[in-house]
Amino acid sequence: MFKTNIPVKTPKPDMNPMVDMAFLLVSFFMLTTTFKAAEPILIEKPQSQSELKMPERGIATITVGEEGRIFFTVDGKYTRKKLLKMMGDQHQIDFSGTEQDEFALLPSVGLPVEQLPGFLALNPQQRKGVDQPGIPCDTARNELSDWVVLTRVANPGVRIAVNADKDTPYAYIDRIIRTLQHNKIYRFNLITELESTE
Amino acid sequence: MSMEEQKEKADWPREKPKRDKRGQKGSIEVDMNPMVDLAFLLLTFFMLATTFSQPQLMELVMPVLPEEEDVEQEQPVKETQALSVVLGEDDQVYWYVGITQPEVHQFAWDEQRVRQVLEEAQNNMSELVLLIKPMEASRYENLIDLLDEINAVGIERYAIAEVTKEDRALLPAD
């Protein structure tokens, strides 16, 4: 009789369109991603219903930890280079070109300025191990003030944002607000997270 | 194009080109799976690394610091206009209307109650000026929550002020 000779092959789907799509998405995400800058310390942001989104550029952030340590950062490599140079001039420290380049890549600074050259000489892995004491900000010595003022010189359009942990005692926030007020910065932003509505 | 060629084109994906026993010209099939795996791996990575939730900003405007010669010109706030909210330790909230010898109310932080106080003040006091007085030990979160409520209620004249000696005297000592 007849022998039916149907091949038991699974049809092979054409994967090209899928691959095309996958690569298209990969390139899209690669180009649009801006990586989260590593936060120097863990900050649990307070929640609010504010609808103002944080801009991606032109923002200087003052981070305050629960124990009051202050970190400072501003976006933009050129701004940062310029900032370090001016900071060096102010404090009679001569930062070399390599140190400026290193600083441009530094996520944030939380050291008195005279400790910066030593810190910049370390490699990124070693830097992680350094427990930064925070930027001095009191009446005797207020380096935060210099950082803020010089950042505004380096990039006049910069906006100042305060990123504080929700459990920070107000006394630490007060120091920062006062510093800003003394530098004639009356309008600034507080970073919060969108309140989750249950 | 010959008929045969056309036919071959039409059913191209279905039928693989027959392997010629004599072995020539058959298109080589490349195993694309590793590439696809990699593509999807990267895709997942970038999707996860993208910052989806940008933080929100809250704008705060502080008053200009008075110059020494200006102090005289400062307009005092009228007693009936002033609502003071003192944020204390352990999420305590104290509030009072007026400046001299007011009646101090106290409660532990509660969003509903705060809103109620603010709304009542907004409706009943003309030209309300809200003074926020956070004590040193109060938590930052309470300040943010209070500012949030102020924005929600729509109070326009408010300021963060220092806790004065007089304020401290009003608060229950503990």
Side-chain angles (χ1 to χ4, degrees):
Chain A
M1 292 302 280
F2 288 110
K3 259 190 186 167
T4 42
N5 206 2
I6 303 164
V8 247
K9 257 195 225 158
T10 46
K12 210 175 181 193
D14 186 7
M15 290 217 288
N16 288 347
M18 185 182 75
V19 177
D20 291 351
M21 196 64 199
F23 272 107
L24 184 79
L25 288 174
V26 168
S27 24
F28 170 73
F29 279 110
M30 269 177 82
L31 292 176
T32 53
T33 305
T34 45
F35 283 98
K36 275 181 209 165
E39 280 190 359
I41 35 172
L42 196 68
I43 296 287
E44 211 181 313
K45 297 186 184 78
Q47 297 186 332
S48 82
Q49 283 155 4
S50 169
E51 274 160 17
L52 201 65
K53 281 255 186 295
M54 182 158 165
E56 281 176 17
R57 279 166 217 291
I59 196 141
T61 313
I62 302 167
T63 304
V64 193
E66 212 181 314
E67 9 50 72
R69 276 190 295 165
I70 298 169
F71 293 80
F72 181 81
T73 190
V74 63
D75 68 307
K77 277 186 193 170
Y78 294 104
T79 316
R80 271 194 248 180
K81 264 186 166 175
K82 233 161 122 185
L83 172 63
L84 187 70
K85 204 174 164 302
M86 288 192 287
M87 199 66 188
D89 292 344
Q90 184 112 342
H91 291 263
Q92 284 88 41
I93 302 171
D94 198 18
F95 288 106
S96 68
T98 29
E99 278 173 332
Q100 285 177 31
D101 290 336
E102 282 292 321
F103 184 77
L105 298 172
L106 206 66
S108 65
V109 54
L111 291 163
V113 71
E114 77 269 4
Q115 290 178 27
L116 258 179
F119 185 67
L120 291 172
L122 301 174
N123 67 37
Q125 213 53 47
Q126 288 170 312
R127 274 182 214 149
K128 267 184 202 158
V130 177
D131 199 22
Q132 300 190 49
I135 295 172
C137 172
D138 42 45
T139 35
R141 189 166 162 216
N142 195 336
E143 278 177 18
L144 179 70
S145 173
D146 298 339
W147 285 111
V148 171
V149 170
L150 294 176
T151 303
R152 291 201 121 199
V153 176
N155 178 4
V158 82
R159 288 167 78 176
I160 310 284
V162 178
N163 183 19
D165 193 279
K166 65 190 178 73
D167 289 326
T168 315
Y170 180 73
Y172 298 128
I173 313 288
D174 190 56
R175 283 200 316 207
I176 290 167
I177 294 182
R178 247 157 238 287
T179 305
L180 293 175
Q181 267 184 310
H182 279 293
N183 289 310
K184 301 197 163 52
I185 300 169
Y186 304 111
R187 189 180 282 268
F188 46 88
N189 296 283
L190 307 174
I191 296 178
T192 62
E193 227 163 44
L194 193 63
E195 194 150 17
S196 47
T197 42
E198 284 118 52
Chain B
M1 215 184 263
S2 74
M3 281 295 278
E4 219 171 301
E5 265 178 323
Q6 266 184 353
K7 194 180 170 254
E8 215 175 293
K9 258 215 163 149
D11 51 23
W12 164 66
R14 277 288 164 96
E15 249 176 331
K16 281 191 209 162
K18 291 205 174 85
R19 280 262 161 92
D20 208 320
K21 291 264 158 66
R22 272 160 284 169
Q24 11 68 7
K25 280 190 206 163
S27 66
I28 306 160
E29 250 182 64
V30 185
D31 183 9
M32 287 209 293
N33 289 345
M35 186 182 74
V36 177
D37 290 350
L38 193 69
F40 274 104
L41 184 79
L42 287 175
L43 182 58
T44 340
F45 170 71
F46 280 106
M47 274 179 75
L48 293 178
T50 308
T51 42
F52 276 118
S53 60
Q54 262 173 310
Q56 313 294 114
L57 287 184
M58 193 181 250
E59 189 139 88
L60 183 63
V61 184
M62 292 297 290
V64 177
L65 282 186
E67 305 272 327
E68 264 164 48
E69 58 267 30
D70 292 350
V71 173
E72 304 282 305
Q73 294 170 10
E74 251 188 286
Q75 293 231 333
V77 178
K78 274 190 219 140
E79 294 233 357
T80 48
Q81 292 178 274
L83 168 68
S84 302
V85 178
V86 180
L87 299 173
E89 218 171 329
D90 297 325
D91 300 343
Q92 293 299 307
V93 181
Y94 308 87
W95 65 273
Y96 48 87
V97 176
I99 294 160
T100 40
Q101 311 231 303
E103 191 190 341
V104 182
H105 306 263
Q106 176 193 1
F107 57 89
W109 178 269
D110 172 19
E111 223 169 85
Q112 247 86 48
R113 283 189 73 176
V114 171
R115 183 173 289 217
Q116 207 186 329
V117 169
L118 295 182
E119 267 169 0
E120 253 168 52
Q122 170 84 325
N123 295 337
N124 301 334
M125 294 162 72
S126 62
E127 291 183 58
L128 168 70
V129 177
L130 177 59
L131 298 168
I132 307 168
K133 298 179 175 178
M135 305 253 279
E136 287 88 352
S138 69
R139 294 192 311 137
Y140 178 60
E141 188 183 23
N142 289 345
L143 175 65
I144 293 288
D145 285 341
L146 180 59
L147 289 172
D148 212 26
E149 292 305 318
I150 290 169
N151 288 335
V153 173
I155 296 174
E156 273 166 14
R157 297 177 65 189
Y158 62 89
I160 298 182
E162 222 173 322
V163 184
T164 58
K165 264 190 224 142
E166 292 76 28
D167 294 320
R168 275 177 219 279
L170 289 171
L171 304 179
D174 45 6

